[in-house]
Amino acid sequence: MKIREKFTCPLELTHDVIKGKWKPIILWRLRLGEMSLSKLEKDIQGITQKMLLEQLKELMEFGFVNKKVYNGYPLQVDYFLTEPQGKRMIEALSIMQQIGIDFLLDRQSRAPIQE
Amino acid sequence: MKIREKFTCPLELTHDVIKGKWKPIILWRLRLGEMSLSKLEKDIQGITQKMLLEQLKELMEFGFVNKKVYNGYPLQVDYFLTEPQGKRMIEALSIMQQIGIDFLLDRQSRAPIQE
DNA sequence: CTGGATCCCGAATGATACTG
DNA sequence: CAGTATCATTCGGGATCCAG
């Protein structure tokens, strides 16, 4: 994904960053600290290595994620949130997470009792 | 859009709500208070009435927006953010807005000087 | 051989245009 | 305004490549 040049408002820019099925989840995972591709792949159920790499690449282009390469054997690469941009995004995602939780609770309380 | 039944994490739910090109912008506009369809259409450049209606409908289904119908002449319908859900979303969007602003400023400060 | 990364392509989904 | 057609973007599978 290329970064857009024209925006009506800055919100659109940020929305671009977390657009897509996986990006919010990846960022959300990375709040726990830096981790390898394989760990992310294990933690995020349903994602393929390919998707993960694609999305991480885009997040890096936007400057919200970065990576460290350890030249050892086996080769290891760790991904992490950038400071302050990546970390800042977690603030927004935290609220979204809470909204989601509240939504589910609220919905549950209205749901018919299942016996 | 139908609400998903299966989630890995609540974040996905909220992400569904602001998914799409226009929803965040619509919500963001509505933070200023209730307003009519035509006002929204004027304020959000580039949106068609059809898109606007579609997206508003989805936001209402999710419970983040609601509408009041005034039975007068001419008929008027005002859309507004729900309490507390819709208002809560504005908190998240505010952070995203700020991230977008910072991103642009930062990018600008690094850009080559144009003479 | 292992883990990281890219390419190609069809399928699914989303956005806009068109039309009555 | 709603229904449909068209166009663009995204998702995902799988093959493949590169580097220790």
Side-chain angles (χ1 to χ4, degrees), chain B residues 85-98:
Chain B
Q85 297 203 78
K87 296 286 176 66
R88 200 85 208 291
M89 191 68 90
I90 296 300
E91 293 177 41
L93 294 177
S94 295
I95 297 177
M96 288 171 59
Q97 164 86 355
Q98 195 53 52

Side-chain angles (χ1 to χ4, degrees), chain B residues 38-103:
Chain B
S38 54
K39 172 130 181 53
L40 279 170
E41 193 178 351
K42 238 186 322 177
D43 287 354
I44 302 176
Q45 65 155 294
I47 199 170
T48 62
Q49 197 188 44
K50 178 185 170 158
M51 272 294 129
L52 190 49
L53 278 165
E54 245 174 59
Q55 304 303 305
L56 281 168
K57 189 178 166 197
E58 289 183 18
L59 287 169
M60 286 192 287
E61 281 166 7
F62 278 121
F64 288 76
V65 167
N66 208 340
K67 70 177 173 182
K68 276 184 224 172
V69 181
Y70 297 97
N71 283 314
Y73 181 78
L75 182 65
Q76 193 180 333
V77 180
D78 274 6
Y79 293 86
F80 59 95
L81 297 174
T82 57
E83 199 77 70
Q85 297 203 78
K87 296 286 176 66
R88 200 85 208 291
M89 191 68 90
I90 296 300
E91 293 177 41
L93 294 177
S94 295
I95 297 177
M96 288 171 59
Q97 164 86 355
Q98 195 53 52
I99 291 173
I101 291 170
D102 294 347
F103 188 94

Side-chain angles (χ1 to χ4, degrees), chain B residues 20-48:
Chain B
K21 181 172 177 179
W22 300 110
K23 292 207 199 73
I25 302 176
I26 294 170
L27 289 168
W28 189 242
R29 275 280 132 194
L30 287 177
R31 85 191 183 285
L32 303 172
E34 65 177 66
M35 56 185 82
S36 66
L37 191 72
S38 54
K39 172 130 181 53
L40 279 170
E41 193 178 351
K42 238 186 322 177
D43 287 354
I44 302 176
Q45 65 155 294
I47 199 170
T48 62

Side-chain angles (χ1 to χ4, degrees), chain A residues 27-42:
Chain A
L27 289 167
W28 190 242
R29 275 278 134 194
L30 286 177
R31 85 191 182 286
L32 303 173
E34 66 178 63
M35 56 185 83
S36 67
L37 191 72
S38 52
K39 173 127 180 56
L40 280 169
E41 194 179 349
K42 242 187 317 178

Side-chain angles (χ1 to χ4, degrees), chain A residues 5-52:
Chain A
E5 291 303 327
K6 293 193 57 154
F7 299 93
T8 310
C9 106
L11 184 56
E12 290 185 63
L13 202 161
T14 314
H15 185 245
D16 274 1
V17 176
I18 57 165
K19 202 169 61 181
K21 182 173 175 178
W22 301 110
K23 292 206 198 74
I25 302 176
I26 294 171
L27 289 167
W28 190 242
R29 275 278 134 194
L30 286 177
R31 85 191 182 286
L32 303 173
E34 66 178 63
M35 56 185 83
S36 67
L37 191 72
S38 52
K39 173 127 180 56
L40 280 169
E41 194 179 349
K42 242 187 317 178
D43 287 354
I44 302 176
Q45 65 155 293
I47 199 170
T48 63
Q49 194 191 43
K50 182 202 158 207
M51 273 295 128
L52 192 47

